[in-house]
Amino acid sequence: MMTRENRRLDLTFGLGLAAICLLPWYRVEGGFFALEWVAEMAGEPDLYPGLLQLFLGRFWLLIAFALFAAAIATRFTMPAGTARGARLALIGAIGVGFMALQGLAITFWGWAWGIGDALFGPLDPGQPAFGAGAVILSLGFLAFIAYGLAERGA
Amino acid sequence: MKGDAFTVGSIILLIALVGVFVFYPIISMFAGSFQDFDGSFNPDGFIRNIQDPAIWSLDCVIGGARCGVAWRTLFLAVMTASASTLLGLAFALVATRTGFPAKKGLRLLTVLPIITPPFVIGLALTMMLGRSGLVTGWIEALTGIELGRWLYGLTGIWIAQVLSFTPISFLVLIGVVEGVSPSMEEASQTLRAGRWRTFRKVSLPLMAPGLANAFLIGFIESMADFGNPLVLGGSHGVLSTEIFFAVVGAQTDPSRAAVLAIILLTFTLSAFMLQRVWLAGRNFATVTGKGDSGKHAALPGPLVALLYAIVVPWIIFTLAVYGMIIFGGFVTTWGLDHTLTLEHYARGFSVEWREGALAWTGVAWDSFWTTMEIALIAAPLTAAVGLLTAYLIVRQNFFGRNAFEFALMMSFAIPGTVIGISYIMAFNLPPIEMTGTALILIACFVFRNMPVGVRGGVAAMSQLDKSLDEASITLGAGSPRTIRRVILPLLRPAIMAALVYSFVRAITSISAVIFLVSAKYNMATAYIVGLVENGEYGIAIAYSSVLILVMITVIGGFQLLVGERRLRRENAVSRPAAKKRAQSSLEAKA
């Protein structure tokens, strides 16, 4: 059944998938809105979308994608209502938290804080700043919180 | 409004935005003060700087040469706030309680600080009273005394700040002075108190909250002022300029900049909190439902004479300063060669017809168009974010609403220099890297000017009866539709005010902007400050007058638009009763 709750969720899923699979995940040097990245994307690993970044050693992004997939699974396995809303809001909150945490913790040269080196060993490669893909996926997680809370009846 | 995705979504989005663009930079700045260049934890810089005698020394009290920069800034802010509050009160009394002939003109004065880039007053003062200033020349010719550099330092900054901020405190106080109920004054006079006693014991105490407000605004503005100290400070810097030089100066020391910014922030936030605590739990209600004659008690004669003696010279002084701004753009070299010329305007704003196309050859065009572009993008965003926030605060009830409102209002007390330094510390490295882009300038303007949009929106929205949107929601419209079809049309004046204010502020502000401009995105004010530092006063002044002219045009256009709205409503014949009522209450406000 296609309700209003499901429609807005599906829209968010579409945008999130585009952010993961199509848009450059990290910051584009010449400016995103110059749109030069469209032509250069294929030959430039820095411009790869999030899904391909996984294979460049940035495996931690998998956690974010898994959370996103969990949201999709929740949408199709549970009926719209209080329980699903709570689950979605929780996934969204963890997602936003994880995006912020990984962004702050992993910089150009690996771990930003000494505790990362101590716990997991040195990290190579690091990562540049958020780009269109990362920002839109974060917004998607925010949307999960909002829609989840709305479904719960906040 | 249970389960409304739009409302919940807006709240969450706003919290996220304020978190990223207000709190994250401030926290980064705190963290930055404890970090080494490579980012590792190292409190040495913080400890060294927080104990620096150049900041905290109290030498001048015990007869030494000078006090630390923190005390100097605090002293300057208190002096500026006191003087501008007293002058503002004098102006407000003259405008409302006396038979002063040019009251309308006095009110025009309140527009001036909004459209004047902040350092322009300092610049004009140098031209009048500086080493080779016009008035300095006269005095030296008359008396033969060498005046020298007395203007450069705290005295000069103080004069410039009082000139700049008196109109603001006038604006704050005029409403308060008008609001004091005449019936109280009448009662006092019926009980046979004289005019003087009535003024001292009844009128003045009732104005206390207004005075406190004007003082607070003067205090924060003085602390945050960057342009005037930069032009007039010489070697006697204040906190905001010291922060700047700690970042761009010969010995770059981000930790020092962060420490100074934290001190500055502590001062302004303490003033903000103190005022809130002081005003909480006091009652100054003076506007009551009871009828009164509407005529205020006359002021005692000697007081009127005193007020005139203060106000009239100050008006002449202000006019002279602004005259200097216009005049200065038209002379060849200030202080040396006073032949009239259009050379500065030509250098700044020349246009040529080259190969069938218009070529903007003047040196100022580049930064001018960037400024216009960024201001035009930022203004609607500011208005939208501000009014959406106002809607949520007034109309929705959500967990943490008061904290949300307080956090927003608190960002009003963050000086521009602190915003600038915190933005470069936060947005220069992953995860969010924005320095050198137009985006960082836009974000800075939106979140810096938003509190004003929120205040305007809250005031306007409280006047709209809640039954209007309840009716719309009962009839099945969601909250986005209610906002679009019912609330926004009724808020038109507030929207326009927010738009114009944010547009004008984006053009005139300097303190935060000077940290954020880049070669590609240079703003007019930062460019003018660069000109001043190179000693090119003529073109700097010419550019400033062009900016003032542009903003007068914009404000004039805005008033025309508002006027149109009123005209159309008078022509309307029939309307739903509820809407009419809300509009007439709006009209009463306008």
Side-chain angles (χ1 to χ4, degrees):
Chain A
M1 194 182 70
M2 206 58 183
T3 61
R4 202 162 149 193
E5 284 82 17
N6 283 338
R7 200 163 55 235
R8 66 193 182 209
L9 275 177
D10 291 346
L11 198 68
T12 316
F13 293 145
L15 283 174
L17 281 176
I20 293 172
C21 302
L22 297 176
L23 292 174
W25 185 257
Y26 292 115
R27 181 171 184 267
V28 181
E29 274 307 319
F32 178 80
F33 296 103
L35 291 181
E36 282 162 0
W37 54 269
V38 181
E40 297 163 6
M41 204 163 175
E44 187 68 58
D46 279 349
L47 296 177
Y48 281 0
L51 203 59
L52 294 179
Q53 296 289 351
L54 282 180
F55 303 102
L56 295 172
R58 279 138 190 171
F59 53 86
W60 58 88
L61 297 179
L62 192 62
I63 301 178
F65 303 156
L67 284 165
F68 186 73
I72 298 182
T74 310
R75 140 87 170 87
F76 286 104
T77 53
M78 290 171 77
T82 315
R84 192 178 83 168
R87 174 85 57 94
L88 276 173
L90 184 69
I91 292 174
I94 298 175
V96 171
F98 175 74
M99 287 300 286
L101 183 72
Q102 61 95 14
L104 288 169
I106 305 170
T107 60
F108 285 121
W109 310 278
W111 294 108
W113 306 313
I115 188 167
D117 287 313
L119 281 178
F120 303 107
L123 192 68
D124 185 59
Q127 59 180 353
F130 284 178
V135 169
I136 292 177
L137 188 67
S138 308
L139 288 175
F141 283 127
L142 283 181
F144 291 155
I145 306 182
Y147 297 155
L149 287 179
E151 240 172 76
R152 246 187 90 230
Chain B
M1 223 176 300
K2 291 259 173 197
D4 190 305
F6 173 79
T7 310
V8 185
S10 314
I11 293 169
I12 287 176
L13 188 66
L14 277 175
I15 291 175
L17 284 175
V18 170
V20 170
F21 290 107
V22 179
F23 289 103
Y24 170 59
I26 299 280
I27 293 166
S28 305
M29 186 181 74
F30 272 97
S33 66
F34 288 103
Q35 273 173 348
D36 248 345
F37 281 104
D38 63 350
S40 59
F41 177 78
N42 182 357
D44 293 352
F46 181 83
I47 292 168
R48 190 184 66 241
N49 281 307
I50 198 81
Q51 294 173 337
D52 188 350
I55 300 175
W56 294 113
S57 128
L58 276 169
D59 275 356
C60 58
V61 180
I62 50 170
R66 57 200 285 203
C67 278
V69 63
W71 300 122
R72 281 211 306 277
T73 311
L74 184 65
F75 175 69
L76 175 70
V78 170
M79 292 302 288
T80 300
S82 321
S84 61
T85 307
L86 285 179
L87 272 170
L89 180 65
F91 271 90
L93 285 173
V94 165
T96 54
R97 301 287 181 95
T98 64
F100 192 69
K103 285 184 185 175
K104 278 254 168 66
L106 269 187
R107 298 215 177 208
L108 271 183
L109 203 74
T110 55
V111 187
L112 288 179
I114 306 171
I115 59 169
T116 314
F119 46 83
V120 170
I121 301 277
L123 211 53
L125 272 184
T126 346
M127 298 177 128
M128 269 172 85
L129 301 166
R131 254 175 315 168
S132 52
L134 206 59
V135 177
T136 311
W138 293 341
I139 295 174
E140 283 180 353
L142 272 178
T143 60
I145 304 166
E146 182 78 29
L147 286 173
R149 305 177 48 90
W150 67 274
L151 186 69
Y152 304 92
L154 285 192
T155 329
I157 305 173
W158 179 68
I159 297 175
Q161 288 187 341
V162 174
L163 269 171
S164 315
F165 307 142
T166 295
I168 302 178
S169 89
F170 172 45
L171 191 67
V172 172
L173 285 168
I174 194 161
V176 178
V177 171
E178 272 177 343
V180 171
S181 167
S183 53
M184 309 235 185
E185 290 166 350
E186 271 168 25
S188 158
Q189 288 189 327
T190 315
L191 293 168
R192 306 195 61 184
R195 286 173 172 189
W196 182 242
R197 195 180 161 93
T198 303
F199 176 74
R200 218 160 31 93
K201 296 276 184 177
V202 177
S203 316
L204 210 51
L206 283 172
M207 298 169 191
L211 292 172
N213 226 340
F215 188 90
L216 176 76
I217 292 174
F219 184 86
I220 291 180
E221 290 272 356
S222 162
M223 283 261 167
D225 186 19
F226 174 78
N228 287 318
L230 189 70
V231 175
L232 290 168
S235 55
H236 303 262
V238 294
L239 279 172
S240 56
T241 51
E242 291 280 305
I243 293 170
F244 179 64
F245 289 119
V247 174
V248 303
Q251 5 79 298
T252 311
D253 187 349
S255 162
R256 180 177 176 79
V259 168
L260 290 169
I262 290 167
I263 296 171
L264 185 57
L265 191 60
T266 315
F267 278 141
T268 54
L269 285 185
S270 324
F272 179 75
M273 302 289 188
L274 267 181
Q275 197 237 16
R276 267 184 94 100
V277 170
W278 189 74
L279 283 184
R282 279 172 187 243
N283 185 7
F284 292 96
T286 55
V287 181
T288 58
K290 289 176 196 154
D292 53 48
S293 67
K295 281 189 177 166
H296 286 291
L299 294 172
L303 183 65
V304 174
L306 177 71
L307 289 177
Y308 277 18
I310 297 170
V311 165
V312 173
W314 195 254
I315 293 174
I316 294 171
F317 189 38
T318 309
L319 289 180
V321 166
Y322 275 87
M324 206 62 56
I325 297 170
I326 298 165
F327 181 52
F330 291 104
V331 296
T332 316
T333 313
W334 190 260
L336 295 174
D337 182 0
H338 287 184
T339 45
L340 294 180
T341 174
L342 281 171
E343 181 206 340
H344 301 307
Y345 284 91
R347 258 193 71 208
F349 294 96
S350 60
V351 175
E352 270 174 42
W353 196 258
R354 242 184 240 160
E355 293 154 15
L358 215 51
W360 309 93
T361 45
V363 291
W365 283 120
D366 186 35
S367 59
F368 181 79
W369 289 125
T370 313
T371 308
M372 289 299 142
E373 195 185 320
I374 288 182
L376 279 176
I377 298 173
L381 284 175
T382 316
V385 174
L387 291 174
L388 183 64
T389 314
Y391 169 76
L392 295 175
I393 288 176
V394 176
R395 286 293 204 261
Q396 305 289 343
N397 217 337
F398 56 91
F399 176 74
R401 187 182 66 171
N402 286 336
F404 184 60
E405 188 185 358
F406 180 71
L408 276 177
M409 287 307 145
M410 201 184 73
S411 68
F412 193 65
I414 304 176
T417 328
V418 176
I419 294 190
I421 183 93
S422 65
Y423 266 42
I424 38 173
M425 286 189 143
F427 299 131
N428 204 19
L429 281 173
I432 306 173
E433 205 181 319
M434 300 200 305
T435 43
T437 65
L439 212 58
I440 196 170
L441 287 165
I442 294 168
C444 170
F445 288 138
V446 169
F447 292 94
R448 195 157 149 57
N449 298 330
M450 187 179 71
V452 177
V454 176
R455 278 192 186 189
V458 166
M461 223 169 290
S462 327
Q463 290 184 320
L464 301 183
D465 196 339
K466 205 168 180 176
S467 61
L468 286 175
D469 25 327
E470 278 164 4
S472 160
I473 284 165
T474 316
L475 290 168
S479 43
R481 194 183 165 105
T482 307
I483 291 182
R484 204 175 65 241
R485 302 295 290 273
V486 178
I487 296 181
L488 280 189
L490 291 172
L491 279 184
R492 216 167 288 168
I495 299 171
M496 289 307 288
L499 276 176
V500 168
Y501 179 83
S502 46
F503 181 75
V504 166
R505 281 299 291 251
I507 294 177
T508 56
S509 69
I510 175 76
S511 49
V513 165
I514 200 155
F515 294 95
L516 305 176
V517 292
S518 48
K520 197 171 166 199
Y521 296 101
N522 203 356
M523 298 286 285
T525 44
Y527 185 73
I528 296 175
V529 164
L531 290 171
V532 172
E533 283 181 334
N534 293 338
E536 296 183 68
Y537 289 95
I539 185 165
I541 277 287
Y543 198 166
S544 309
S545 359
V546 168
L547 282 185
I548 293 178
L549 205 68
V550 166
M551 284 177 285
I552 290 177
T553 319
V554 169
I555 292 182
F558 152 71
Q559 263 157 1
L560 270 181
L561 275 172
V562 172
E564 247 169 49
R565 191 190 74 104
R566 195 170 297 159
L567 243 170
R568 208 173 58 222
R569 187 170 62 236
E570 278 168 11
N571 291 342
V573 185
S574 71
R575 269 175 193 239
K579 201 168 177 183
K580 214 174 199 168
R581 199 181 77 215
Q583 282 205 337
S584 59
S585 78
L586 254 179
E587 197 177 17
K589 190 212 166 200

